[in-house]
mmCIF file of all heavy atoms in Angstrom:
data_model
loop_
_atom_site.group_PDB
_atom_site.id
_atom_site.type_symbol
_atom_site.label_atom_id
_atom_site.label_comp_id
_atom_site.label_asym_id
_atom_site.label_seq_id
_atom_site.Cartn_x
_atom_site.Cartn_y
_atom_site.Cartn_z
ATOM 1 N N VAL A 1480 116.087 47.430 86.994
ATOM 2 C CA VAL A 1480 116.467 47.144 88.338
ATOM 3 C C VAL A 1480 117.806 46.320 88.333
ATOM 4 O O VAL A 1480 118.718 46.550 89.201
ATOM 5 C CB VAL A 1480 115.377 46.368 89.078
ATOM 6 C CG1 VAL A 1480 115.911 45.879 90.453
ATOM 7 C CG2 VAL A 1480 114.134 47.231 89.264
ATOM 8 N N VAL A 1481 117.919 45.413 87.437
ATOM 9 C CA VAL A 1481 119.117 44.559 87.264
ATOM 10 C C VAL A 1481 119.777 44.906 85.989
ATOM 11 O O VAL A 1481 119.197 44.827 84.870
ATOM 12 C CB VAL A 1481 118.761 43.081 87.290
ATOM 13 C CG1 VAL A 1481 120.026 42.212 87.058
ATOM 14 C CG2 VAL A 1481 118.148 42.689 88.652
ATOM 15 N N GLY A 1482 121.042 45.385 86.061
ATOM 16 C CA GLY A 1482 121.824 45.743 84.873
ATOM 17 C C GLY A 1482 123.106 44.973 84.771
ATOM 18 O O GLY A 1482 123.227 43.852 85.119
ATOM 19 N N GLY A 1483 124.081 45.653 84.191
ATOM 20 C CA GLY A 1483 125.441 45.084 84.136
ATOM 21 C C GLY A 1483 125.519 43.902 83.167
ATOM 22 O O GLY A 1483 124.896 43.871 82.120
ATOM 23 N N ILE A 1484 126.285 42.884 83.573
ATOM 24 C CA ILE A 1484 126.517 41.676 82.755
ATOM 25 C C ILE A 1484 125.247 40.968 82.449
ATOM 26 O O ILE A 1484 125.022 40.432 81.382
ATOM 27 C CB ILE A 1484 127.581 40.825 83.352
ATOM 28 C CG1 ILE A 1484 128.924 41.539 83.488
ATOM 29 C CG2 ILE A 1484 127.842 39.523 82.543
ATOM 30 C CD1 ILE A 1484 129.976 40.776 84.374
ATOM 31 N N ALA A 1485 124.364 40.908 83.467
ATOM 32 C CA ALA A 1485 123.059 40.214 83.263
ATOM 33 C C ALA A 1485 122.238 40.865 82.160
ATOM 34 O O ALA A 1485 121.665 40.184 81.314
ATOM 35 C CB ALA A 1485 122.322 40.224 84.567
ATOM 36 N N TRP A 1486 122.221 42.167 82.192
ATOM 37 C CA TRP A 1486 121.416 42.908 81.138
ATOM 38 C C TRP A 1486 122.128 42.735 79.785
ATOM 39 O O TRP A 1486 121.507 42.658 78.685
ATOM 40 C CB TRP A 1486 121.241 44.320 81.446
ATOM 41 C CG TRP A 1486 120.300 44.993 80.496
ATOM 42 C CD1 TRP A 1486 120.563 46.005 79.590
ATOM 43 C CD2 TRP A 1486 118.883 44.710 80.319
ATOM 44 N NE1 TRP A 1486 119.485 46.280 78.878
ATOM 45 C CE2 TRP A 1486 118.408 45.582 79.300
ATOM 46 C CE3 TRP A 1486 117.992 43.837 80.944
ATOM 47 C CZ2 TRP A 1486 117.111 45.524 78.870
ATOM 48 C CZ3 TRP A 1486 116.680 43.784 80.481
ATOM 49 C CH2 TRP A 1486 116.217 44.662 79.452
ATOM 50 N N GLU A 1487 123.455 42.756 79.745
ATOM 51 C CA GLU A 1487 124.203 42.519 78.499
ATOM 52 C C GLU A 1487 123.815 41.121 77.952
ATOM 53 O O GLU A 1487 123.638 41.004 76.712
ATOM 54 C CB GLU A 1487 125.698 42.533 78.751
ATOM 55 C CG GLU A 1487 126.536 42.201 77.564
ATOM 56 C CD GLU A 1487 128.005 42.016 77.888
ATOM 57 O OE1 GLU A 1487 128.439 42.442 78.946
ATOM 58 O OE2 GLU A 1487 128.744 41.326 77.094
ATOM 59 N N PHE A 1488 123.723 40.179 78.765
ATOM 60 C CA PHE A 1488 123.242 38.782 78.381
ATOM 61 C C PHE A 1488 121.897 38.880 77.776
ATOM 62 O O PHE A 1488 121.714 38.293 76.735
ATOM 63 C CB PHE A 1488 123.273 37.863 79.654
ATOM 64 C CG PHE A 1488 122.786 36.495 79.287
ATOM 65 C CD1 PHE A 1488 123.625 35.554 78.735
ATOM 66 C CD2 PHE A 1488 121.494 36.070 79.662
ATOM 67 C CE1 PHE A 1488 123.178 34.294 78.388
ATOM 68 C CE2 PHE A 1488 121.034 34.780 79.350
ATOM 69 C CZ PHE A 1488 121.919 33.902 78.759
ATOM 70 N N VAL A 1489 120.976 39.612 78.319
ATOM 71 C CA VAL A 1489 119.612 39.741 77.828
ATOM 72 C C VAL A 1489 119.677 40.377 76.460
ATOM 73 O O VAL A 1489 119.037 39.867 75.462
ATOM 74 C CB VAL A 1489 118.742 40.516 78.711
ATOM 75 C CG1 VAL A 1489 117.366 40.843 78.104
ATOM 76 C CG2 VAL A 1489 118.451 39.749 80.018
ATOM 77 N N GLU A 1490 120.407 41.447 76.297
ATOM 78 C CA GLU A 1490 120.474 42.152 75.009
ATOM 79 C C GLU A 1490 121.105 41.271 73.954
ATOM 80 O O GLU A 1490 120.651 41.253 72.796
ATOM 81 C CB GLU A 1490 121.353 43.422 75.190
ATOM 82 C CG GLU A 1490 120.640 44.507 76.034
ATOM 83 C CD GLU A 1490 121.419 45.794 76.135
ATOM 84 O OE1 GLU A 1490 122.684 45.720 76.240
ATOM 85 O OE2 GLU A 1490 120.819 46.868 76.106
ATOM 86 N N ARG A 1491 122.161 40.549 74.234
ATOM 87 C CA ARG A 1491 122.768 39.679 73.286
ATOM 88 C C ARG A 1491 121.874 38.457 72.961
ATOM 89 O O ARG A 1491 121.902 37.961 71.842
ATOM 90 C CB ARG A 1491 124.186 39.230 73.767
ATOM 91 C CG ARG A 1491 125.155 40.353 73.839
ATOM 92 C CD ARG A 1491 126.499 39.907 74.352
ATOM 93 N NE ARG A 1491 127.163 38.953 73.478
ATOM 94 C CZ ARG A 1491 128.428 38.496 73.651
ATOM 95 N NH1 ARG A 1491 129.190 39.011 74.626
ATOM 96 N NH2 ARG A 1491 128.952 37.606 72.783
ATOM 97 N N LEU A 1492 121.081 38.048 73.973
ATOM 98 C CA LEU A 1492 120.134 36.935 73.731
ATOM 99 C C LEU A 1492 119.130 37.381 72.704
ATOM 100 O O LEU A 1492 118.730 36.615 71.817
ATOM 101 C CB LEU A 1492 119.492 36.560 75.025
ATOM 102 C CG LEU A 1492 118.797 35.195 75.117
ATOM 103 C CD1 LEU A 1492 119.746 34.055 74.716
ATOM 104 C CD2 LEU A 1492 118.148 34.985 76.456
ATOM 105 N N GLN A 1493 118.674 38.615 72.811
ATOM 106 C CA GLN A 1493 117.689 39.170 71.854
ATOM 107 C C GLN A 1493 118.327 39.245 70.448
ATOM 108 O O GLN A 1493 117.707 38.931 69.438
ATOM 109 C CB GLN A 1493 117.197 40.566 72.288
ATOM 110 C CG GLN A 1493 116.348 40.534 73.508
ATOM 111 C CD GLN A 1493 115.850 41.961 73.837
ATOM 112 O OE1 GLN A 1493 114.774 42.393 73.502
ATOM 113 N NE2 GLN A 1493 116.679 42.686 74.542
ATOM 114 N N GLU A 1494 119.588 39.667 70.398
ATOM 115 C CA GLU A 1494 120.252 39.833 69.127
ATOM 116 C C GLU A 1494 120.391 38.529 68.350
ATOM 117 O O GLU A 1494 120.345 38.532 67.090
ATOM 118 C CB GLU A 1494 121.655 40.405 69.365
ATOM 119 C CG GLU A 1494 121.712 41.886 69.812
ATOM 120 C CD GLU A 1494 123.095 42.322 70.205
ATOM 121 O OE1 GLU A 1494 124.049 41.529 70.095
ATOM 122 O OE2 GLU A 1494 123.199 43.519 70.651
ATOM 123 N N ILE A 1495 120.540 37.406 69.033
ATOM 124 C CA ILE A 1495 120.663 36.115 68.328
ATOM 125 C C ILE A 1495 119.292 35.416 68.237
ATOM 126 O O ILE A 1495 119.268 34.227 67.840
ATOM 127 C CB ILE A 1495 121.694 35.196 69.073
ATOM 128 C CG1 ILE A 1495 121.293 34.813 70.481
ATOM 129 C CG2 ILE A 1495 123.091 35.867 69.013
ATOM 130 C CD1 ILE A 1495 122.214 33.826 71.139
ATOM 131 N N GLY A 1496 118.205 36.098 68.583
ATOM 132 C CA GLY A 1496 116.904 35.534 68.439
ATOM 133 C C GLY A 1496 116.455 34.594 69.461
ATOM 134 O O GLY A 1496 115.531 33.853 69.224
ATOM 135 N N GLY A 1497 117.075 34.641 70.610
ATOM 136 C CA GLY A 1497 116.722 33.665 71.685
ATOM 137 C C GLY A 1497 116.095 34.252 72.892
ATOM 138 O O GLY A 1497 115.922 33.521 73.924
ATOM 139 N N GLY A 1498 115.746 35.616 72.911
ATOM 140 C CA GLY A 1498 115.211 36.238 74.039
ATOM 141 C C GLY A 1498 114.201 37.280 73.703
ATOM 142 O O GLY A 1498 114.274 37.896 72.635
ATOM 143 N N PHE A 1499 113.191 37.467 74.526
ATOM 144 C CA PHE A 1499 112.051 38.351 74.315
ATOM 145 C C PHE A 1499 111.714 39.060 75.632
ATOM 146 O O PHE A 1499 111.173 38.484 76.577
ATOM 147 C CB PHE A 1499 110.843 37.587 73.747
ATOM 148 C CG PHE A 1499 111.241 36.553 72.800
ATOM 149 C CD1 PHE A 1499 111.533 35.225 73.176
ATOM 150 C CD2 PHE A 1499 111.359 36.892 71.452
ATOM 151 C CE1 PHE A 1499 111.875 34.257 72.233
ATOM 152 C CE2 PHE A 1499 111.735 35.893 70.541
ATOM 153 C CZ PHE A 1499 111.991 34.613 70.927
ATOM 154 N N VAL A 1500 112.001 40.378 75.752
ATOM 155 C CA VAL A 1500 111.748 41.096 76.888
ATOM 156 C C VAL A 1500 110.263 41.479 76.978
ATOM 157 O O VAL A 1500 109.666 42.068 76.021
ATOM 158 C CB VAL A 1500 112.618 42.384 76.989
ATOM 159 C CG1 VAL A 1500 112.232 43.202 78.241
ATOM 160 C CG2 VAL A 1500 114.047 42.027 76.964
ATOM 161 N N GLU A 1501 109.604 41.188 78.072
ATOM 162 C CA GLU A 1501 108.180 41.483 78.281
ATOM 163 C C GLU A 1501 108.043 42.750 79.123
ATOM 164 O O GLU A 1501 108.561 42.787 80.228
ATOM 165 C CB GLU A 1501 107.512 40.301 79.031
ATOM 166 C CG GLU A 1501 107.591 38.975 78.178
ATOM 167 C CD GLU A 1501 107.100 37.794 78.960
ATOM 168 O OE1 GLU A 1501 107.092 37.837 80.230
ATOM 169 O OE2 GLU A 1501 106.711 36.819 78.338
ATOM 170 N N SER A 1502 107.364 43.703 78.628
ATOM 171 C CA SER A 1502 107.112 44.930 79.351
ATOM 172 C C SER A 1502 105.658 45.023 79.793
ATOM 173 O O SER A 1502 104.745 44.511 79.123
ATOM 174 C CB SER A 1502 107.390 46.158 78.462
ATOM 175 O OG SER A 1502 108.772 46.202 78.072
ATOM 176 N N PRO A 1503 105.367 45.638 80.962
ATOM 177 C CA PRO A 1503 106.336 46.367 81.856
ATOM 178 C C PRO A 1503 106.978 45.440 82.890
ATOM 179 O O PRO A 1503 107.795 45.923 83.719
ATOM 180 C CB PRO A 1503 105.400 47.347 82.573
ATOM 181 C CG PRO A 1503 104.093 46.627 82.688
ATOM 182 C CD PRO A 1503 103.975 45.780 81.417
ATOM 183 N N LEU A 1504 106.682 44.156 82.970
ATOM 184 C CA LEU A 1504 107.170 43.299 84.035
ATOM 185 C C LEU A 1504 108.683 43.110 83.975
ATOM 186 O O LEU A 1504 109.288 42.866 85.047
ATOM 187 C CB LEU A 1504 106.487 41.970 83.978
ATOM 188 C CG LEU A 1504 105.004 41.879 84.408
ATOM 189 C CD1 LEU A 1504 104.553 40.425 84.477
ATOM 190 C CD2 LEU A 1504 104.822 42.578 85.744
ATOM 191 N N GLY A 1505 109.273 43.162 82.794
ATOM 192 C CA GLY A 1505 110.664 42.960 82.734
ATOM 193 C C GLY A 1505 111.155 41.518 82.840
ATOM 194 O O GLY A 1505 112.304 41.201 83.177
ATOM 195 N N ASN A 1506 110.216 40.634 82.604
ATOM 196 C CA ASN A 1506 110.547 39.187 82.416
ATOM 197 C C ASN A 1506 111.192 38.964 81.055
ATOM 198 O O ASN A 1506 110.875 39.712 80.109
ATOM 199 C CB ASN A 1506 109.305 38.285 82.589
ATOM 200 C CG ASN A 1506 108.761 38.292 83.991
ATOM 201 O OD1 ASN A 1506 109.468 38.454 84.954
ATOM 202 N ND2 ASN A 1506 107.470 38.079 84.082
ATOM 203 N N VAL A 1507 112.010 37.987 80.957
ATOM 204 C CA VAL A 1507 112.648 37.681 79.642
ATOM 205 C C VAL A 1507 112.304 36.224 79.296
ATOM 206 O O VAL A 1507 112.870 35.248 79.891
ATOM 207 C CB VAL A 1507 114.175 37.824 79.716
ATOM 208 C CG1 VAL A 1507 114.809 37.509 78.386
ATOM 209 C CG2 VAL A 1507 114.505 39.275 80.085
ATOM 210 N N ALA A 1508 111.401 36.045 78.314
ATOM 211 C CA ALA A 1508 111.149 34.700 77.750
ATOM 212 C C ALA A 1508 112.326 34.366 76.863
ATOM 213 O O ALA A 1508 112.898 35.181 76.204
ATOM 214 C CB ALA A 1508 109.885 34.734 76.966
ATOM 215 N N PHE A 1509 112.679 33.083 76.872
ATOM 216 C CA PHE A 1509 113.833 32.687 76.122
ATOM 217 C C PHE A 1509 113.768 31.272 75.555
ATOM 218 O O PHE A 1509 112.862 30.467 75.910
ATOM 219 C CB PHE A 1509 115.133 32.731 77.019
ATOM 220 C CG PHE A 1509 115.045 31.763 78.199
ATOM 221 C CD1 PHE A 1509 115.564 30.491 78.060
ATOM 222 C CD2 PHE A 1509 114.506 32.108 79.387
ATOM 223 C CE1 PHE A 1509 115.491 29.591 79.121
ATOM 224 C CE2 PHE A 1509 114.465 31.244 80.506
ATOM 225 C CZ PHE A 1509 114.936 29.967 80.320
ATOM 226 N N GLU A 1510 114.590 30.948 74.644
ATOM 227 C CA GLU A 1510 114.740 29.680 73.996
ATOM 228 C C GLU A 1510 116.023 29.003 74.572
ATOM 229 O O GLU A 1510 117.106 29.580 74.590
ATOM 230 C CB GLU A 1510 114.847 29.818 72.512
ATOM 231 C CG GLU A 1510 114.578 28.545 71.729
ATOM 232 C CD GLU A 1510 115.798 27.629 71.750
ATOM 233 O OE1 GLU A 1510 116.909 28.128 71.535
ATOM 234 O OE2 GLU A 1510 115.663 26.407 71.900
ATOM 235 N N GLN A 1511 115.822 27.815 75.144
ATOM 236 C CA GLN A 1511 116.890 27.200 75.984
ATOM 237 C C GLN A 1511 118.246 27.042 75.234
ATOM 238 O O GLN A 1511 119.307 27.257 75.846
ATOM 239 C CB GLN A 1511 116.438 25.828 76.486
ATOM 240 C CG GLN A 1511 115.551 25.864 77.655
ATOM 241 C CD GLN A 1511 114.118 26.065 77.339
ATOM 242 O OE1 GLN A 1511 113.714 26.072 76.156
ATOM 243 N NE2 GLN A 1511 113.275 26.213 78.368
ATOM 244 N N GLU A 1512 118.187 26.611 73.997
ATOM 245 C CA GLU A 1512 119.422 26.302 73.279
ATOM 246 C C GLU A 1512 120.200 27.589 73.022
ATOM 247 O O GLU A 1512 121.510 27.638 73.098
ATOM 248 C CB GLU A 1512 119.161 25.599 71.950
ATOM 249 C CG GLU A 1512 118.561 24.147 72.173
ATOM 250 C CD GLU A 1512 119.386 23.295 73.134
ATOM 251 O OE1 GLU A 1512 120.639 23.323 72.977
ATOM 252 O OE2 GLU A 1512 118.802 22.625 73.994
ATOM 253 N N HIS A 1513 119.539 28.723 72.694
ATOM 254 C CA HIS A 1513 120.214 29.951 72.620
ATOM 255 C C HIS A 1513 120.823 30.443 73.941
ATOM 256 O O HIS A 1513 121.930 30.972 73.980
ATOM 257 C CB HIS A 1513 119.209 31.047 72.045
ATOM 258 C CG HIS A 1513 118.906 30.890 70.612
ATOM 259 N ND1 HIS A 1513 117.886 30.096 70.182
ATOM 260 C CD2 HIS A 1513 119.459 31.470 69.517
ATOM 261 C CE1 HIS A 1513 117.855 30.191 68.802
ATOM 262 N NE2 HIS A 1513 118.748 31.045 68.420
ATOM 263 N N TYR A 1514 120.099 30.172 75.014
ATOM 264 C CA TYR A 1514 120.576 30.513 76.343
ATOM 265 C C TYR A 1514 121.912 29.746 76.591
ATOM 266 O O TYR A 1514 122.938 30.340 77.071
ATOM 267 C CB TYR A 1514 119.556 30.163 77.358
ATOM 268 C CG TYR A 1514 119.755 30.694 78.760
ATOM 269 C CD1 TYR A 1514 118.793 31.550 79.344
ATOM 270 C CD2 TYR A 1514 120.859 30.320 79.556
ATOM 271 C CE1 TYR A 1514 118.995 32.015 80.700
ATOM 272 C CE2 TYR A 1514 121.016 30.765 80.849
ATOM 273 C CZ TYR A 1514 120.106 31.644 81.425
ATOM 274 O OH TYR A 1514 120.276 32.064 82.692
ATOM 275 N N LYS A 1515 121.877 28.429 76.389
ATOM 276 C CA LYS A 1515 123.112 27.642 76.590
ATOM 277 C C LYS A 1515 124.296 28.196 75.787
ATOM 278 O O LYS A 1515 125.393 28.358 76.332
ATOM 279 C CB LYS A 1515 122.862 26.188 76.194
ATOM 280 C CG LYS A 1515 121.922 25.413 77.020
ATOM 281 C CD LYS A 1515 121.761 24.029 76.411
ATOM 282 C CE LYS A 1515 120.705 23.190 77.040
ATOM 283 N NZ LYS A 1515 120.537 21.851 76.325
ATOM 284 N N LEU A 1516 124.021 28.447 74.509
ATOM 285 C CA LEU A 1516 125.070 28.918 73.624
ATOM 286 C C LEU A 1516 125.643 30.239 74.082
ATOM 287 O O LEU A 1516 126.908 30.384 74.153
ATOM 288 C CB LEU A 1516 124.540 29.067 72.261
ATOM 289 C CG LEU A 1516 125.486 29.680 71.176
ATOM 290 C CD1 LEU A 1516 126.644 28.730 70.927
ATOM 291 C CD2 LEU A 1516 124.778 29.939 69.823
ATOM 292 N N LEU A 1517 124.823 31.191 74.475
ATOM 293 C CA LEU A 1517 125.275 32.523 74.752
ATOM 294 C C LEU A 1517 126.057 32.513 76.126
ATOM 295 O O LEU A 1517 127.057 33.148 76.239
ATOM 296 C CB LEU A 1517 124.169 33.536 74.820
ATOM 297 C CG LEU A 1517 124.596 34.961 75.072
ATOM 298 C CD1 LEU A 1517 125.563 35.474 74.081
ATOM 299 C CD2 LEU A 1517 123.302 35.871 75.103
#
């Protein structure tokens, strides 16, 4: 539903080990310090 730069942020957050996409809800659990950094 939400793509673009926001989804790029999610994908890059996963790449650095700071995000976890939950299916099917599409929530993204995250680690705060990785979020700040990215």
Side-chain angles (χ1 to χ4, degrees):
V1480 174
V1481 175
I1484 298 171
W1486 188 249
E1487 177 192 339
F1488 177 79
V1489 171
E1490 290 182 321
R1491 292 180 64 172
L1492 196 60
Q1493 292 182 94
E1494 289 172 4
I1495 63 174
F1499 318 89
V1500 179
E1501 301 173 334
S1502 296
L1504 288 188
N1506 293 330
V1507 179
F1509 64 90
E1510 197 281 317
Q1511 280 84 5
E1512 296 306 317
H1513 285 86
Y1514 191 120
K1515 292 178 188 176
L1516 176 66
L1517 184 58

